[in-house]
Amino acid sequence: MSRPALPPLHALLALAVVAVWGTNFVVIRWALDDLPPLLFAALRFTFALLPAVFFLKRPAVPWRNLAAYGVLIGVGQFGLLYIAMTQWISPGLASLVVQIQAFFTVGFAMVLAGEKIRRFQVAALGLAALGLVWLMAHTSAEVTALGLALVVGAALGWAGGNTVARAAGPVNMLAYVVWSSLFAAPPLFVLSFLFEGWPAISQGLAAADAATWACVLWQSVGNTIFGYASWAWLLARHPAATIAPLSLLVPVFGMDASAVLLGEPLTSWKLTAAALVLGGLALNTLYPAWERRRAIQA
């Protein structure tokens, strides 16, 4: 029994989403030339919240769930990611390393829900871990130990957010992300004031031009509103096993966009690390679907 193919327009929409999510790392790098990272993250979630919160009904989940998701994704994921990308890791490599959130998500499910790890997941984690070790062995201006640690921390925050969202049950994910931004923006503004300081904040806002604000809006509208809404729309119409594997293209777009738009070299060691990490992610994502098909055909 073969997996149903996506209609051409649906396939183009899926590719547009992963292209936006992948090239978004270049957009982040451009905005960080003017804005301090925590301020940038705070503005991202402010414009994700406003004005969309006035048009989307609050999901029927506890406030504490929305707050936990907002803090984990806002501060944990994007706060750390933006800090790392100021100078400690290149956009292309950041787009790759942050994808290990998939393994942290599995780990949280094992600890909190009692799910058992399977052999293919061990093999997948091993491949991805080898990729990270390979990156650590080639630290340079493009990837430092601190940058790698910060992005791994961002992946941990993302996985925590995934776990909280899973506990919320089936909800309108776009509305969920928008309303949770109510709890992401304020702590980011506070942290920006405490650690970046008013002089850096005012200087960043003064330096921001139309292109910088376009980058901020692209984070909020393109990456969040368009990305989440389109992805949820596709998942509502096609099996998750058809849509989810397409997210493996995010770091492909991220690394290619960084090479083309920022001149980030695609060296052999970087491609080797990408092959290991993406190989692990592919095994973790695709093996269950292959196993189900084999069981049906047996």
Side-chain angles (χ1 to χ4, degrees), residues 84-141:
M85 288 180 61
T86 54
Q87 57 181 309
W88 291 296
I89 193 168
S90 65
L93 290 177
S95 73
L96 174 67
V97 174
V98 77
Q99 301 304 320
I100 66 167
Q101 60 81 21
F103 299 108
F104 288 134
T105 301
V106 171
F108 285 143
M110 290 171 53
V111 173
L112 299 175
E115 295 183 10
K116 297 185 181 299
I117 192 168
R118 300 178 59 193
R119 283 183 293 179
F120 80 88
Q121 292 171 324
V122 174
L125 179 59
L127 279 175
L130 281 175
L132 293 182
V133 170
W134 191 250
L135 284 177
M136 290 178 65
H138 292 82
T139 54
S140 63

Side-chain angles (χ1 to χ4, degrees), residues 11-260:
L12 286 174
L13 178 61
L15 286 175
V17 173
V18 296
V20 167
W21 284 346
T23 56
N24 190 54
F25 288 83
V26 172
V27 176
I28 292 171
R29 178 55 266 167
W30 285 336
L32 288 172
D33 287 338
D34 292 327
L35 296 172
L38 292 172
L39 174 64
F40 178 25
L43 292 171
R44 171 209 169 104
F45 285 98
T46 297
F47 290 113
L49 176 68
L50 301 172
V53 71
F54 298 113
F55 301 97
L56 295 170
K57 183 180 178 181
R58 182 174 75 85
V61 299
W63 282 106
R64 63 180 179 275
N65 183 279
L66 286 172
Y69 185 85
V71 172
L72 285 166
I73 296 298
V75 180
Q77 181 186 353
F78 286 101
L80 292 177
L81 178 66
Y82 288 5
I83 292 171
M85 288 180 61
T86 54
Q87 57 181 309
W88 291 296
I89 193 168
S90 65
L93 290 177
S95 73
L96 174 67
V97 174
V98 77
Q99 301 304 320
I100 66 167
Q101 60 81 21
F103 299 108
F104 288 134
T105 301
V106 171
F108 285 143
M110 290 171 53
V111 173
L112 299 175
E115 295 183 10
K116 297 185 181 299
I117 192 168
R118 300 178 59 193
R119 283 183 293 179
F120 80 88
Q121 292 171 324
V122 174
L125 179 59
L127 279 175
L130 281 175
L132 293 182
V133 170
W134 191 250
L135 284 177
M136 290 178 65
H138 292 82
T139 54
S140 63
E142 289 186 75
V143 53
T144 65
L146 177 58
L148 202 58
L150 286 168
V151 178
V152 169
L156 192 61
W158 187 0
N162 288 341
T163 303
V164 170
R166 185 177 181 182
V171 296
N172 179 331
M173 196 58 194
L174 176 61
Y176 186 79
V177 169
V178 168
W179 276 87
S180 68
S181 297
L182 181 65
F183 300 95
L188 284 165
F189 276 119
V190 171
L191 289 171
S192 177
F193 183 78
L194 291 176
F195 291 100
E196 293 168 342
W198 177 247
I201 292 172
S202 59
Q203 183 178 355
L205 292 173
D209 55 14
T212 306
W213 288 110
C215 290
V216 174
L217 290 176
W218 186 250
Q219 293 281 290
S220 305
V221 179
N223 195 49
T224 301
I225 304 299
F226 167 75
Y228 275 100
S230 300
W231 202 251
W233 188 88
L234 289 166
L235 285 171
R237 287 159 178 79
H238 301 283
T242 300
I243 301 300
L246 295 172
S247 64
L248 294 171
L249 294 174
V250 170
V252 175
F253 277 105
M255 296 184 75
D256 287 343
S258 294
V260 173

